[in-house]
Amino acid sequence: MAALLLLGACSRQVTVKIGVVAPMSGPLAQYGKDIANGAQVAVDELNSDHFSISRKRARFELVVEDDKASPEEGKAAAKRLIDAGVSAVFGHFNSGVSIAAAPLYAEAGIPQLSVSTNPKYTRMGLKTAFRITADDIQQGAALARLIGEKLRTKSLYVVDDRTTFGVGIADEVERGVKLKAPPVRESVDGKSADFAQLAKKITDANADAVFFGGDEAAGLPLLKALRQAGSTAKFIVADAMCDVSTLKGAGGSANSNYYCSIAGVPPSWLSSGIGFMDMYKAKFGPPGAYSTLSYDGIHVLAQAMQEAGSVKPETYLPVLAKGSFSGKIQGAIEFDGKGDIKDGTVVIYQAIGGQLVEQRNLL
């Protein structure tokens, strides 16, 4: 009798493995951990709410992988997730890594939901690639308006770190900004650049604003070198350097002249975001910007499975592509024909007192 009861209970339950992959080590580890933590909060909530799929209680499990912010490591991590039998993947963080790994998920037929912002990711013709945030075309346009219209920049210096993300977002900003004089553009290798020399070039050019496209590995040394050179130029970056941990790493160099963007809605915009904040803080402390996106992303994947009545990727993938879902942070979430989120939002932040403060007047 006990065996029969156990068998009956098992038949009324389905295990759902979801892969979460991002840099969990190295200089970008904080972003990866934020993503994993946000996903864990969503999974814990789904499991405690007795979420069901086809009248069976769904038991969600995360399979977390470290891609080390490397395309090659990302492909290796993708293969491990595929071999683990995951039903979906949330990741990767870096655009170059997402683009490298996406064909592997496509070949396996596994939906990939990413925060990577380079437009190419959803323009490779892969039916399994989805983006849960605005892309660099939208983010670049918002940053260009910030620089040209809101901050009234007269002279702009644009620097990128030669990564897929860094070059792409710098291109969009340079393309969209409207100034009397064209921006000066330079690319650097974060491992070998002479940042003191670059800071001198920027100050000699009398640039009153610097846009940096890339992540902290090159962005923070450049910012520190500028401040050490006496430059008070506004320093503007995108979402790879828009976190409180970045401000801490700047060691006081990220003052009120530091601006950044996040492609995604903060929890403060919707009342349901308060519940997320309470759950997250109880487990991990204050959430990062990407915690909200992974939290919403896991819920979106779960809703698609529930609507399709299946955890099989080939069954719920068409529902994910064409359905409308409820993001507890971002509100209604739908994807267009390319896999991009419809009506993606970009928010501008300013560093004030060691915190990132939302600036709606600068949108």
Side-chain angles (χ1 to χ4, degrees), residues 7-8 65 79 84 87 102 111 161 188 237 250 254 271 284 293 308 317 343:
L7 181 62
E65 288 285 350
K79 291 176 182 177
S87 296
D161 66 354
V188 298
V237 295
S271 59
F284 305 111
L293 293 171
L317 178 59
D343 304 318

Side-chain angles (χ1 to χ4, degrees), residues 198-209:
L198 177 56
K200 185 178 185 305
K201 289 173 67 175
I202 293 171
T203 53
D204 287 348
N206 293 318
D208 61 349

Side-chain angles (χ1 to χ4, degrees), residues 271-292:
S271 59
S272 55
I274 298 173
F276 162 78
M277 291 287 287
D278 291 341
M279 289 187 292
Y280 194 99
K281 285 181 178 179
K283 294 176 183 291
F284 305 111
Y290 293 94
S291 306
T292 59

Side-chain angles (χ1 to χ4, degrees), residues 168-183:
I169 190 66
D171 285 347
E172 294 299 334
V173 169
E174 189 174 12
R175 184 179 296 116
V177 73
K178 301 292 188 290
L179 302 174
K180 290 184 178 179

Side-chain angles (χ1 to χ4, degrees), residues 46-65:
L46 289 165
N47 288 338
S48 65
D49 287 347
H50 297 271
F51 191 89
S52 65
I53 298 173
S54 191
R55 291 184 291 183
K56 293 181 179 180
R57 182 181 177 183
R59 187 73 188 174
F60 290 86
E61 297 178 0
L62 294 184
V63 182
V64 180
E65 288 285 350

Side-chain angles (χ1 to χ4, degrees), residues 26-89:
L28 299 179
Q30 184 59 52
Y31 293 102
K33 291 173 182 176
D34 286 344
I35 288 171
N37 291 344
Q40 188 63 57
V41 171
V43 161
D44 290 345
E45 186 178 24
L46 289 165
N47 288 338
S48 65
D49 287 347
H50 297 271
F51 191 89
S52 65
I53 298 173
S54 191
R55 291 184 291 183
K56 293 181 179 180
R57 182 181 177 183
R59 187 73 188 174
F60 290 86
E61 297 178 0
L62 294 184
V63 182
V64 180
E65 288 285 350
D66 180 6
D67 64 24
K68 302 178 183 178
S70 159
E72 289 305 314
E73 291 285 350
K75 288 191 285 187
K79 291 176 182 177
R80 291 194 294 271
L81 289 174
I82 294 167
D83 290 342
V86 298
S87 296
V89 170

